[in-house]
Amino acid sequence: MNKWLKWWSIFIFSIGGIVILLIFGTVLLFFNFKGSLTPDEKEEAKVLSQAEQYLQEKYPTMEYEISGVEYDKGSEYDKFDYAAVILNTETQNTFMVYENRHTRQMEDDIAFQELTKFIEQVKPKVYSYITETFGEPQSIAFTPSIDTPSSLNIKLNNKKEEINEEMFESFIDYLQHELKVEHANVTIMYGNEHWNKEF
């Protein structure tokens, strides 16, 4: 009887200990997660100060207002955790100034925004050219990038014998000289074949 009672007591204490540890661990995880969603006031003040200095040095004539801080709580941005949100009061365009987490240098996303806008403008012309030259494509993806050439990936429905290098080079020439695309990594895929060129 004593052995059974002793065994039962050890079992109850073990289960109780595990339950307490689980509750404690859950509470810690909750507060850790909640803390990660709350911006650090010191970091916000730091990025605002850095942004002010950066703007005065890089854009000394720009009229602007700092409208707030963007905190990357959901890991949406590759380059920063905190960014100052700036309103150019002349153009009414907003952009972000931040410390690049990879280079530790201050930068802004004006060039990226301009490139994104430019690509959106040329996409319909790319689609028209591809459709007229090769027929209706399966897909076209034109992805802007500042650090590396923007990528243009086109998937065609054509067979191998319907495509030649001259057609591909003519398309590259059209991108560079007609649409004024400065840098891109262009891939045209059809079946198991593809053409690729970076400029």
Side-chain angles (χ1 to χ4, degrees):
M1 185 74 177
N2 285 342
K3 282 184 181 179
W4 186 85
L5 252 170
K6 187 178 177 182
W7 181 87
W8 184 248
S9 298
I10 291 170
F11 177 75
I12 294 293
F13 278 116
S14 298
I15 294 296
I18 290 169
V19 169
I20 289 168
L21 279 172
L22 283 172
I23 291 169
F24 185 69
T26 304
V27 169
L28 273 178
L29 279 171
F30 173 76
F31 281 110
N32 187 35
F33 176 72
K34 191 177 177 184
S36 71
L37 297 178
T38 308
D40 185 315
E41 289 181 11
K42 288 181 182 175
E43 290 296 325
E44 287 186 322
K46 178 184 169 186
V47 78
L48 289 172
S49 173
Q50 289 174 317
E52 192 80 59
Q53 185 178 347
Y54 173 84
L55 290 166
Q56 288 171 6
E57 289 173 6
K58 186 155 185 185
Y59 305 110
T61 61
M62 181 187 285
E63 296 290 328
Y64 65 87
E65 291 175 6
I66 298 179
S67 58
V69 175
E70 178 76 16
Y71 169 51
D72 186 25
K73 60 179 175 281
S75 300
E76 294 174 41
Y77 301 101
D78 175 54
K79 292 186 175 182
F80 65 83
D81 294 317
Y82 294 86
V85 181
I86 314 299
L87 170 68
N88 182 326
T89 54
E90 292 176 27
T91 65
Q92 294 302 305
N93 292 329
T94 59
F95 61 97
M96 291 191 283
V97 174
Y98 50 87
E99 181 182 331
N100 186 312
R101 67 162 62 107
H102 307 295
T103 65
R104 294 296 174 202
Q105 300 294 315
M106 292 301 292
E107 57 186 55
D108 62 67
D109 68 347
I110 292 176
F112 182 77
Q113 285 190 26
E114 289 173 350
L115 179 61
T116 301
K117 187 177 178 182
F118 171 75
I119 284 177
E120 286 303 315
Q121 289 172 344
V122 301
K123 264 184 183 176
K125 296 175 184 176
V126 169
Y127 179 82
S128 294
Y129 183 97
I130 292 296
T131 304
E132 288 171 18
T133 308
F134 302 101
E136 187 78 23
Q138 280 188 37
S139 63
I140 295 178
F142 205 163
T143 309
S145 176
I146 294 294
D147 302 325
T148 58
S150 300
S151 62
L152 173 54
N153 296 307
I154 300 164
K155 193 164 187 182
L156 302 175
N157 292 305
N158 304 67
K159 297 174 184 174
K160 182 177 178 179
E161 60 271 15
E162 296 173 329
I163 309 285
N164 59 54
E165 189 172 1
E166 187 179 334
M167 294 165 77
F168 178 68
E169 290 298 334
S170 294
F171 176 58
I172 297 294
D173 186 66
Y174 173 74
L175 289 172
Q176 289 181 291
H177 301 107
E178 295 292 325
L179 298 186
K180 307 297 182 191
V181 176
E182 292 182 11
H183 305 291
N185 188 335
V186 182
T187 303
I188 290 185
M189 297 163 280
Y190 52 102
N192 295 323
E193 306 290 330
H194 75 277
W195 295 101
N196 176 265
K197 186 168 187 175
E198 185 177 308
F199 60 85

